[in-house]
Amino acid sequence: MAGGQQHTANSDHENHGDHGSPKLYIIGYILSIVLTIIPLVLVLNHVMSGVPLVATITIMAILQFLIQLFFFMHITEGEKPAYHVMTLALGVIMVFTIVAGSAWIMTFNASVS
């Protein structure tokens, strides 16, 4: 009985697949650091201001989000990666709706006050 459970545990462990190589983790880590340092340098040195600065920071954040998904969370791996991508797309739509709705409400409230 205990051997059967042990076999099941080993089979479950083997079914999780490859979790990436250390090389991919290091590349993802370095890219994440670079994408964090670029906006920090832009803000601290006042290289840009206003809309271009916000756009640059947003682009860096989106790139870092994608790096986190592909290098650390292995979004394309697993038993059914298409479901992971669809779930992620639904989550992104929900987050975008919440953020855009909140920004719209704050803008409307600021113009009324």
Side-chain angles (χ1 to χ4, degrees):
M1 185 81 168
Q5 290 175 346
Q6 198 172 41
H7 176 71
T8 301
N10 287 338
S11 296
D12 290 341
H13 182 71
E14 291 172 0
N15 289 336
H16 288 156
D18 188 20
H19 293 290
S21 67
K23 181 181 175 183
L24 288 178
Y25 285 118
I26 291 171
I27 290 171
Y29 180 70
I30 290 171
L31 288 174
S32 295
I33 289 175
V34 168
L35 291 173
T36 301
I37 290 174
I38 290 172
L40 180 68
V41 169
L42 292 176
V43 170
L44 290 179
N45 293 328
H46 304 284
V47 175
M48 292 185 216
S49 64
V51 175
L53 179 64
V54 173
T56 304
I57 291 172
T58 303
I59 290 169
M60 295 298 146
I62 291 170
L63 288 174
Q64 191 165 116
F65 175 70
L66 293 174
I67 286 172
Q68 297 290 324
L69 287 176
F70 287 101
F71 283 90
F72 299 114
M73 298 179 76
H74 310 288
I75 190 78
T76 58
E77 298 173 5
E79 293 179 15
K80 302 195 182 208
Y83 291 128
H84 296 279
V85 173
M86 287 191 307
T87 304
L88 177 67
L90 179 64
V92 167
I93 290 170
M94 287 181 175
V95 167
F96 178 76
T97 303
I98 291 170
V99 170
S102 299
W104 179 73
I105 289 171
M106 288 187 288
T107 304
F108 179 73
N109 192 22
S111 65
V112 171
S113 299

